[in-house]
Amino acid sequence: MSPNVEDLVDGLLADRPPATTATPEFLGEQFDRGLAWVHFAVGEGGLGLTPKDQQRAQTRLHAAGAPSAVMRNPIGYGMCAPTIATHGTPKQKERYLRPLFTNEEIWCQLFSEPGAGSDVAGLSTRAERDGDEWVLNGQKVWTTLAHISSFGLIVARTNPDVPKHKGMTAFLVDMHLPGVEVRPLFQITGEAEFNEVFFTDVRMSDALARLGREGEGWRVAVTTLMNERVSIGGGVGRRGGGPIAEAIKIWNERWQGDTSPQAIALRDRLVSSYVRMEALNMTNARAAATRKTGTPGPEGSVAKLAFAEENKRVYDLCMDLLGNDAMLFPAGYPMVRPDLVGLGSPDVHKMFLRVRANSIEGGTSEVMRNILGERVLGLPGDVRTDKELPWRDVPRS
Protein backbone atom coordinates (compact mmCIF):
# COMPACT_ATOMS: atom_id res chain seq x y z
CA MET A 1 0.00 0.00 0.00
CA SER A 2 1.41 3.39 -0.98
CA PRO A 3 2.15 5.79 1.88
CA ASN A 4 -0.24 8.68 2.37
CA VAL A 5 1.68 11.84 1.46
CA GLU A 6 -0.65 14.11 3.44
CA ASP A 7 -0.17 12.06 6.61
CA LEU A 8 3.60 12.10 6.19
CA VAL A 9 3.62 15.87 5.69
CA ASP A 10 1.39 16.34 8.74
CA GLY A 11 3.78 14.21 10.80
CA LEU A 12 6.81 16.19 9.65
CA LEU A 13 5.16 19.52 10.44
CA ALA A 14 4.04 18.32 13.86
CA ASP A 15 7.43 16.90 14.83
CA ARG A 16 9.49 19.74 13.33
CA PRO A 17 7.42 22.96 13.34
CA PRO A 18 8.95 25.22 10.65
CA ALA A 19 8.71 28.32 12.83
CA THR A 20 10.93 26.84 15.56
CA THR A 21 13.14 24.39 13.65
CA ALA A 22 16.46 25.35 12.07
CA THR A 23 16.39 25.10 8.27
CA PRO A 24 19.11 22.41 7.90
CA GLU A 25 17.42 20.27 10.56
CA PHE A 26 13.99 20.59 8.95
CA LEU A 27 15.29 19.83 5.45
CA GLY A 28 17.32 16.89 6.75
CA GLU A 29 14.24 15.41 8.40
CA GLN A 30 12.22 16.08 5.25
CA PHE A 31 14.80 14.14 3.23
CA ASP A 32 14.92 11.25 5.71
CA ARG A 33 11.14 10.88 5.60
CA GLY A 34 11.12 10.65 1.81
CA LEU A 35 9.55 14.06 1.28
CA ALA A 36 12.46 15.75 -0.47
CA TRP A 37 11.62 14.40 -3.93
CA VAL A 38 8.61 12.15 -3.38
CA HIS A 39 9.03 10.62 -6.86
CA PHE A 40 12.62 9.50 -6.14
CA ALA A 41 13.33 5.99 -4.85
CA VAL A 42 13.01 5.08 -1.17
CA GLY A 43 16.27 5.88 0.61
CA GLU A 44 17.14 8.63 -1.88
CA GLY A 45 14.91 11.31 -0.42
CA GLY A 46 11.79 9.83 -1.98
CA LEU A 47 8.95 7.36 -1.62
CA GLY A 48 8.85 5.90 -5.12
CA LEU A 49 5.64 7.78 -5.94
CA THR A 50 4.84 10.20 -8.79
CA PRO A 51 5.61 13.83 -9.65
CA LYS A 52 1.93 14.56 -8.94
CA ASP A 53 2.48 13.36 -5.36
CA GLN A 54 5.58 15.56 -5.18
CA GLN A 55 3.49 18.56 -6.19
CA ARG A 56 0.93 17.78 -3.49
CA ALA A 57 3.64 17.51 -0.83
CA GLN A 58 5.32 20.74 -1.92
CA THR A 59 2.02 22.63 -1.92
CA ARG A 60 1.26 21.53 1.64
CA LEU A 61 4.75 22.33 2.92
CA HIS A 62 4.79 25.75 1.28
CA ALA A 63 1.40 26.63 2.77
CA ALA A 64 2.74 25.71 6.23
CA GLY A 65 5.75 28.01 5.88
CA ALA A 66 8.31 25.25 5.56
CA PRO A 67 11.78 26.23 4.28
CA SER A 68 12.51 25.67 0.60
CA ALA A 69 15.50 23.63 -0.53
CA VAL A 70 15.39 25.19 -3.99
CA MET A 71 15.86 28.84 -3.03
CA ARG A 72 19.58 28.70 -2.21
CA ASN A 73 20.40 25.67 -4.34
CA PRO A 74 18.28 25.89 -7.52
CA ILE A 75 20.81 24.22 -9.82
CA GLY A 76 21.41 21.38 -7.39
CA TYR A 77 17.76 20.80 -6.54
CA GLY A 78 16.20 21.09 -9.98
CA MET A 79 18.95 19.80 -12.28
CA CYS A 80 21.80 17.96 -10.58
CA ALA A 81 19.76 15.90 -8.11
CA PRO A 82 17.43 14.35 -10.74
CA THR A 83 20.48 13.53 -12.87
CA ILE A 84 22.29 11.86 -9.97
CA ALA A 85 19.13 9.94 -9.10
CA THR A 86 18.85 8.70 -12.70
CA HIS A 87 22.50 7.93 -13.53
CA GLY A 88 24.35 7.76 -10.21
CA THR A 89 25.71 4.74 -8.39
CA PRO A 90 24.30 3.85 -4.95
CA LYS A 91 27.48 5.28 -3.41
CA GLN A 92 27.07 8.58 -5.28
CA LYS A 93 23.42 8.90 -4.30
CA GLU A 94 24.27 8.23 -0.66
CA ARG A 95 27.14 10.73 -0.69
CA TYR A 96 25.57 13.65 -2.57
CA LEU A 97 21.77 13.81 -2.40
CA ARG A 98 21.15 14.57 1.28
CA PRO A 99 23.66 17.43 1.76
CA LEU A 100 22.50 18.84 -1.58
CA PHE A 101 18.92 18.94 -0.35
CA THR A 102 19.80 20.46 3.04
CA ASN A 103 21.82 23.18 1.25
CA GLU A 104 24.96 22.19 3.11
CA GLU A 105 26.51 21.71 -0.33
CA ILE A 106 25.59 24.09 -3.16
CA TRP A 107 25.85 22.81 -6.76
CA CYS A 108 26.46 24.30 -10.18
CA GLN A 109 26.19 23.02 -13.75
CA LEU A 110 29.23 23.20 -16.03
CA PHE A 111 28.08 22.72 -19.63
CA SER A 112 28.53 25.90 -21.71
CA GLU A 113 31.92 26.89 -23.09
CA PRO A 114 33.18 29.91 -25.07
CA GLY A 115 33.05 27.79 -28.24
CA ALA A 116 30.11 25.54 -27.28
CA GLY A 117 27.07 27.39 -26.00
CA SER A 118 23.93 26.31 -27.82
CA ASP A 119 25.86 23.37 -29.30
CA VAL A 120 26.73 21.67 -26.01
CA ALA A 121 27.98 18.54 -27.80
CA GLY A 122 30.72 20.61 -29.43
CA LEU A 123 32.50 21.16 -26.09
CA SER A 124 36.28 20.87 -25.91
CA THR A 125 37.06 20.63 -22.18
CA ARG A 126 39.11 17.42 -21.90
CA ALA A 127 39.19 14.67 -19.30
CA GLU A 128 41.93 12.07 -19.76
CA ARG A 129 42.13 8.79 -17.89
CA ASP A 130 45.14 8.25 -15.63
CA GLY A 131 44.75 4.97 -13.76
CA ASP A 132 41.92 5.33 -11.24
CA GLU A 133 41.71 9.07 -11.85
CA TRP A 134 40.74 11.53 -14.56
CA VAL A 135 42.72 14.68 -15.33
CA LEU A 136 40.49 17.61 -16.30
CA ASN A 137 41.57 20.63 -18.38
CA GLY A 138 39.47 23.33 -20.02
CA GLN A 139 37.10 26.24 -19.49
CA LYS A 140 33.38 26.60 -18.80
CA VAL A 141 31.38 29.81 -18.94
CA TRP A 142 28.08 31.31 -17.69
CA THR A 143 28.17 29.00 -14.67
CA THR A 144 25.51 30.13 -12.22
CA LEU A 145 26.58 30.28 -8.53
CA ALA A 146 29.93 28.58 -9.19
CA HIS A 147 31.52 30.99 -6.70
CA ILE A 148 29.61 29.45 -3.76
CA SER A 149 29.36 25.88 -5.06
CA SER A 150 30.86 22.82 -3.39
CA PHE A 151 30.31 20.58 -6.40
CA GLY A 152 29.51 20.87 -10.09
CA LEU A 153 28.06 18.58 -12.73
CA ILE A 154 30.41 18.77 -15.71
CA VAL A 155 30.51 17.14 -19.15
CA ALA A 156 33.95 16.76 -20.74
CA ARG A 157 35.48 15.34 -23.92
CA THR A 158 36.99 11.92 -23.19
CA ASN A 159 37.33 10.57 -26.74
CA PRO A 160 38.07 13.01 -29.61
CA ASP A 161 38.17 10.23 -32.22
CA VAL A 162 34.42 9.55 -32.34
CA PRO A 163 31.47 11.83 -33.31
CA LYS A 164 30.92 14.63 -30.86
CA HIS A 165 27.84 13.22 -29.16
CA LYS A 166 29.57 9.89 -28.44
CA GLY A 167 32.88 11.07 -27.02
CA MET A 168 31.74 12.81 -23.83
CA THR A 169 31.57 11.69 -20.22
CA ALA A 170 29.87 13.31 -17.23
CA PHE A 171 31.56 13.92 -13.88
CA LEU A 172 30.73 15.29 -10.44
CA VAL A 173 33.64 17.62 -9.75
CA ASP A 174 34.67 19.00 -6.36
CA MET A 175 34.88 22.77 -6.89
CA HIS A 176 37.55 23.09 -4.19
CA LEU A 177 40.07 20.76 -5.82
CA PRO A 178 43.49 22.15 -6.74
CA GLY A 179 43.42 23.59 -10.26
CA VAL A 180 39.82 24.91 -10.15
CA GLU A 181 39.59 28.68 -10.62
CA VAL A 182 36.31 30.63 -10.60
CA ARG A 183 36.11 34.17 -12.02
CA PRO A 184 33.05 36.47 -11.94
CA LEU A 185 31.04 37.52 -14.99
CA PHE A 186 29.10 40.69 -14.17
CA GLN A 187 25.65 41.20 -15.67
CA ILE A 188 23.88 44.41 -16.63
CA THR A 189 22.26 44.35 -13.15
CA GLY A 190 25.66 44.98 -11.58
CA GLU A 191 25.70 41.49 -10.05
CA ALA A 192 27.73 38.42 -10.92
CA GLU A 193 25.49 35.38 -10.53
CA PHE A 194 27.41 33.91 -13.47
CA ASN A 195 31.04 32.86 -13.62
CA GLU A 196 33.69 31.45 -15.90
CA VAL A 197 35.52 28.42 -14.51
CA PHE A 198 38.98 27.22 -15.47
CA PHE A 199 40.28 23.68 -14.86
CA THR A 200 44.02 23.05 -14.92
CA ASP A 201 45.18 19.46 -14.33
CA VAL A 202 42.30 18.81 -11.92
CA ARG A 203 42.38 15.20 -10.68
CA MET A 204 39.08 13.41 -10.06
CA SER A 205 38.42 9.92 -8.71
CA ASP A 206 36.82 7.65 -11.29
CA ALA A 207 34.75 5.77 -8.69
CA LEU A 208 33.14 8.80 -7.09
CA ALA A 209 33.33 11.47 -9.79
CA ARG A 210 32.31 9.73 -13.03
CA LEU A 211 28.52 9.86 -13.52
CA GLY A 212 27.25 7.19 -15.87
CA ARG A 213 29.40 5.15 -18.19
CA GLU A 214 32.39 6.47 -20.07
CA GLY A 215 31.22 7.92 -23.38
CA GLU A 216 27.61 8.38 -22.22
CA GLY A 217 27.96 12.03 -21.25
CA TRP A 218 25.44 13.18 -23.83
CA ARG A 219 22.79 10.89 -22.35
CA VAL A 220 23.49 12.32 -18.90
CA ALA A 221 23.47 15.86 -20.29
CA VAL A 222 20.06 15.38 -21.92
CA THR A 223 18.61 14.28 -18.56
CA THR A 224 20.01 17.42 -16.96
CA LEU A 225 18.84 19.75 -19.72
CA MET A 226 15.29 18.38 -19.73
CA ASN A 227 15.05 18.88 -15.98
CA GLU A 228 16.68 22.31 -16.28
CA ARG A 229 13.97 23.54 -18.63
CA VAL A 230 11.20 22.41 -16.29
CA SER A 231 13.09 23.87 -13.33
CA ILE A 232 13.40 27.27 -15.05
CA GLY A 233 10.01 27.56 -16.72
CA GLY A 234 7.79 24.81 -15.36
CA GLY A 235 6.68 26.30 -12.06
CA VAL A 236 3.01 26.61 -11.17
CA GLY A 237 2.34 29.90 -9.41
CA ARG A 238 -0.79 31.38 -7.88
CA ARG A 239 -3.25 33.12 -10.18
CA GLY A 240 -2.18 36.67 -10.90
CA GLY A 241 1.16 36.15 -9.14
CA GLY A 242 4.73 36.53 -10.30
CA PRO A 243 5.76 39.14 -12.89
CA ILE A 244 2.22 39.95 -13.95
CA ALA A 245 1.43 41.02 -10.36
CA GLU A 246 4.03 43.79 -10.71
CA ALA A 247 2.42 45.04 -13.90
CA ILE A 248 -1.02 45.04 -12.28
CA LYS A 249 0.33 46.91 -9.26
CA ILE A 250 1.85 49.66 -11.43
CA TRP A 251 -1.36 49.91 -13.47
CA ASN A 252 -3.45 50.36 -10.32
CA GLU A 253 -1.07 52.99 -8.95
CA ARG A 254 -0.62 55.06 -12.11
CA TRP A 255 -3.33 54.35 -14.68
CA GLN A 256 -6.51 53.27 -12.89
CA GLY A 257 -9.43 55.38 -14.14
CA ASP A 258 -7.46 56.90 -17.02
CA THR A 259 -9.50 56.75 -20.26
CA SER A 260 -6.92 58.23 -22.61
CA PRO A 261 -6.00 56.28 -25.79
CA GLN A 262 -2.58 55.53 -24.28
CA ALA A 263 -4.16 54.06 -21.13
CA ILE A 264 -6.57 51.94 -23.18
CA ALA A 265 -3.69 50.54 -25.27
CA LEU A 266 -1.69 49.73 -22.12
CA ARG A 267 -4.71 48.09 -20.53
CA ASP A 268 -5.16 45.86 -23.60
CA ARG A 269 -1.50 44.78 -23.34
CA LEU A 270 -1.93 44.12 -19.61
CA VAL A 271 -4.97 41.91 -20.16
CA SER A 272 -3.24 40.00 -22.96
CA SER A 273 -0.18 39.41 -20.76
CA TYR A 274 -2.38 38.22 -17.91
CA VAL A 275 -4.12 35.72 -20.17
CA ARG A 276 -0.84 34.38 -21.56
CA MET A 277 0.66 34.02 -18.07
CA GLU A 278 -2.39 32.12 -16.87
CA ALA A 279 -2.25 29.86 -19.93
CA LEU A 280 1.39 29.08 -19.09
CA ASN A 281 0.47 28.35 -15.48
CA MET A 282 -2.31 25.97 -16.50
CA THR A 283 -0.11 24.27 -19.08
CA ASN A 284 2.55 23.68 -16.45
CA ALA A 285 0.00 22.38 -13.96
CA ARG A 286 -1.38 19.94 -16.52
CA ALA A 287 2.12 18.74 -17.45
CA ALA A 288 3.05 18.22 -13.80
CA ALA A 289 -0.16 16.31 -13.10
CA THR A 290 0.19 13.97 -16.06
CA ARG A 291 3.93 13.31 -15.88
CA LYS A 292 4.42 9.63 -15.06
CA THR A 293 8.11 9.65 -14.18
CA GLY A 294 10.62 12.12 -12.80
CA THR A 295 12.14 12.83 -16.23
CA PRO A 296 10.09 15.39 -18.17
CA GLY A 297 9.31 15.25 -21.85
CA PRO A 298 9.02 17.98 -24.48
CA GLU A 299 6.72 20.02 -22.26
CA GLY A 300 9.86 21.28 -20.52
CA SER A 301 10.92 23.04 -23.71
CA VAL A 302 7.42 24.48 -24.15
CA ALA A 303 7.47 25.83 -20.60
CA LYS A 304 10.99 27.22 -20.84
CA LEU A 305 10.31 29.01 -24.14
CA ALA A 306 7.02 30.51 -22.94
CA PHE A 307 8.52 31.51 -19.58
CA ALA A 308 11.43 33.35 -21.20
CA GLU A 309 9.42 35.22 -23.80
CA GLU A 310 6.50 36.13 -21.53
CA ASN A 311 8.78 37.37 -18.75
CA LYS A 312 10.45 39.76 -21.18
CA ARG A 313 7.07 40.96 -22.50
CA VAL A 314 5.69 41.59 -19.01
CA TYR A 315 8.70 43.57 -17.81
CA ASP A 316 8.74 45.53 -21.08
CA LEU A 317 5.13 46.41 -20.24
CA CYS A 318 6.15 47.38 -16.69
CA MET A 319 8.66 49.84 -18.09
CA ASP A 320 6.05 51.37 -20.39
CA LEU A 321 3.62 51.65 -17.48
CA LEU A 322 6.28 53.50 -15.45
CA GLY A 323 6.77 56.11 -18.16
CA ASN A 324 9.75 58.39 -17.59
CA ASP A 325 10.51 56.68 -14.27
CA ALA A 326 11.52 53.59 -16.23
CA MET A 327 14.75 55.35 -17.20
CA LEU A 328 15.97 55.32 -13.59
CA PHE A 329 17.68 52.41 -11.82
CA PRO A 330 17.18 53.18 -8.10
CA ALA A 331 19.13 50.14 -6.91
CA GLY A 332 22.31 51.22 -8.66
CA TYR A 333 24.98 48.83 -9.84
CA PRO A 334 26.45 47.19 -6.70
CA MET A 335 29.06 45.00 -8.47
CA VAL A 336 28.61 42.12 -6.03
CA ARG A 337 28.60 38.32 -6.25
CA PRO A 338 25.23 37.29 -4.78
CA ASP A 339 24.44 34.06 -2.96
CA LEU A 340 21.07 33.69 -4.71
CA VAL A 341 19.87 33.62 -8.30
CA GLY A 342 18.36 37.03 -9.06
CA LEU A 343 14.83 35.95 -9.97
CA GLY A 344 11.81 37.27 -8.13
CA SER A 345 13.33 40.56 -6.98
CA PRO A 346 10.79 43.23 -5.93
CA ASP A 347 12.82 45.79 -7.91
CA VAL A 348 11.02 46.03 -11.28
CA HIS A 349 13.90 47.91 -12.90
CA LYS A 350 16.36 45.17 -11.90
CA MET A 351 14.04 42.43 -13.14
CA PHE A 352 13.62 44.19 -16.49
CA LEU A 353 17.39 43.86 -16.91
CA ARG A 354 17.67 40.37 -15.39
CA VAL A 355 15.03 38.67 -17.53
CA ARG A 356 17.08 39.42 -20.65
CA ALA A 357 19.01 36.32 -19.59
CA ASN A 358 15.88 34.12 -19.55
CA SER A 359 15.99 33.63 -23.31
CA ILE A 360 19.65 32.54 -23.14
CA GLU A 361 20.15 30.52 -19.93
CA GLY A 362 19.01 26.92 -20.00
CA GLY A 363 18.96 26.89 -23.79
CA THR A 364 18.21 29.84 -26.04
CA SER A 365 14.71 30.50 -27.32
CA GLU A 366 15.99 29.67 -30.81
CA VAL A 367 17.17 26.24 -29.62
CA MET A 368 13.84 25.66 -27.86
CA ARG A 369 11.98 26.39 -31.10
CA ASN A 370 14.21 23.94 -32.96
CA ILE A 371 13.55 21.23 -30.38
CA LEU A 372 9.79 21.76 -30.52
CA GLY A 373 9.77 21.91 -34.31
CA GLU A 374 11.78 18.73 -34.76
CA ARG A 375 10.75 16.56 -31.81
CA VAL A 376 7.15 17.61 -31.25
CA LEU A 377 5.90 18.80 -34.64
CA GLY A 378 8.05 16.41 -36.66
CA LEU A 379 9.46 19.08 -38.95
CA PRO A 380 12.68 18.41 -40.88
CA GLY A 381 15.80 18.97 -38.80
CA ASP A 382 18.59 21.42 -39.47
CA VAL A 383 21.37 20.30 -41.78
CA ARG A 384 24.12 18.86 -39.54
CA THR A 385 27.21 18.15 -41.58
CA ASP A 386 29.33 17.28 -38.54
CA LYS A 387 27.03 14.69 -37.00
CA GLU A 388 29.03 11.63 -38.08
CA LEU A 389 32.49 13.23 -38.19
CA PRO A 390 35.01 12.43 -35.46
CA TRP A 391 35.10 15.42 -33.12
CA ARG A 392 38.79 15.89 -33.87
CA ASP A 393 37.92 16.62 -37.53
CA VAL A 394 35.07 19.08 -36.90
CA PRO A 395 36.09 22.63 -37.94
CA ARG A 396 36.23 25.02 -35.00
CA SER A 397 36.87 28.74 -34.81
Side-chain angles (χ1 to χ4, degrees):
M1 182 177 178
S2 298
N4 187 300
V5 171
E6 281 79 7
D7 290 345
L8 291 173
V9 170
D10 288 341
L12 172 63
L13 294 172
D15 295 341
R16 299 288 191 279
T20 57
T21 304
T23 295
E25 180 185 350
F26 185 94
L27 293 176
E29 190 67 21
Q30 183 179 343
F31 181 94
D32 294 340
R33 298 189 186 204
L35 294 170
W37 300 276
V38 171
H39 52 296
F40 282 17
V42 174
E44 299 172 9
L47 300 167
L49 299 178
T50 68
K52 185 176 180 179
D53 294 307
Q54 168 71 3
Q55 186 181 12
R56 287 162 50 208
Q58 286 296 98
T59 300
R60 292 284 308 284
L61 288 166
H62 178 74
S68 169
V70 71
M71 293 305 295
R72 286 200 66 242
N73 203 3
I75 311 299
Y77 180 89
M79 304 165 208
C80 298
T83 306
I84 294 170
T86 301
H87 300 283
T89 64
K91 185 175 181 181
Q92 288 171 327
K93 296 174 186 179
E94 181 182 2
R95 165 62 186 86
Y96 295 121
L97 288 177
R98 192 179 191 277
L100 182 159
F101 184 77
T102 61
N103 289 179
E104 294 169 90
E105 294 173 349
I106 306 300
W107 282 70
C108 62
Q109 173 189 323
L110 300 143
F111 282 15
S112 293
E113 297 183 5
S118 297
D119 180 21
V120 175
L123 60 84
S124 59
T125 294
R126 293 289 301 273
E128 297 177 300
R129 189 72 177 259
D130 184 15
D132 293 333
E133 294 183 320
W134 293 85
V135 182
L136 183 66
N137 284 281
Q139 178 188 359
K140 298 291 181 175
V141 74
W142 308 120
T143 307
T144 305
L145 299 183
H147 57 289
I148 62 168
S149 293
S150 300
F151 292 93
L153 171 57
I154 188 169
V155 181
R157 181 75 48 198
T158 51
N159 186 350
D161 298 319
V162 296
K164 59 183 182 181
H165 289 84
K166 299 179 181 179
M168 304 185 297
T169 303
F171 299 92
L172 307 174
V173 60
D174 185 338
M175 296 295 288
H176 298 124
L177 286 172
V180 179
E181 181 186 0
V182 180
R183 302 178 189 172
L185 287 172
F186 285 95
Q187 301 146 244
I188 54 176
T189 59
E191 297 181 341
E193 301 168 35
F194 305 143
N195 303 268
E196 52 183 348
V197 186
F198 297 84
F199 300 93
T200 306
D201 294 332
V202 177
R203 289 189 167 270
M204 307 177 293
S205 160
D206 177 71
L208 197 56
R210 178 169 50 82
L211 184 64
R213 296 179 181 177
E214 183 178 347
E216 291 192 352
W218 180 247
R219 182 166 169 257
V220 176
V222 168
T223 300
T224 309
L225 293 170
M226 291 172 73
N227 281 289
E228 179 181 34
R229 286 153 194 169
V230 170
S231 179
I232 291 175
V236 181
R238 63 179 177 82
R239 176 171 291 183
I244 195 64
E246 297 296 335
I248 293 171
K249 178 182 175 183
I250 299 170
W251 167 268
N252 288 334
E253 291 173 350
R254 293 172 176 255
W255 296 91
Q256 186 72 42
D258 191 330
T259 58
S260 67
Q262 183 183 8
I264 292 171
L266 288 170
R267 184 190 61 193
D268 287 348
R269 287 174 60 192
L270 179 63
V271 172
S272 295
S273 287
Y274 183 93
V275 170
R276 286 195 299 268
M277 280 295 194
E278 286 306 305
L280 173 59
N281 250 342
M282 289 186 282
T283 299
N284 288 345
R286 184 171 64 249
T290 58
R291 198 177 304 141
K292 302 300 182 185
T293 66
T295 302
E299 69 271 9
S301 295
V302 175
K304 200 277 175 182
L305 174 62
F307 168 85
E309 298 305 313
E310 290 308 320
N311 272 1
K312 290 196 295 183
R313 284 196 189 100
V314 170
Y315 282 108
D316 284 348
L317 172 60
C318 286
M319 294 299 102
D320 289 342
L321 289 168
L322 284 171
N324 290 339
D325 289 341
M327 294 185 287
L328 305 175
F329 190 17
Y333 299 90
M335 305 305 285
V336 297
R337 304 177 79 179
D339 291 344
L340 299 172
V341 175
L343 298 176
S345 169
D347 187 333
V348 175
H349 295 80
K350 176 182 175 181
M351 288 305 298
F352 168 73
L353 298 175
R354 178 57 180 80
V355 297
R356 305 299 105 184
N358 289 170
S359 55
I360 302 171
E361 58 196 348
T364 66
S365 291
E366 291 76 14
V367 167
M368 295 302 103
R369 291 185 178 99
N370 270 6
I371 290 171
L372 294 173
E374 294 175 18
R375 301 182 189 177
V376 179
L377 301 179
L379 300 176
D382 280 348
V383 176
R384 296 177 174 91
T385 58
D386 61 356
K387 190 172 183 180
E388 301 302 325
L389 281 178
W391 178 84
R392 190 188 298 277
D393 298 334
V394 175
R396 283 178 293 280
S397 57

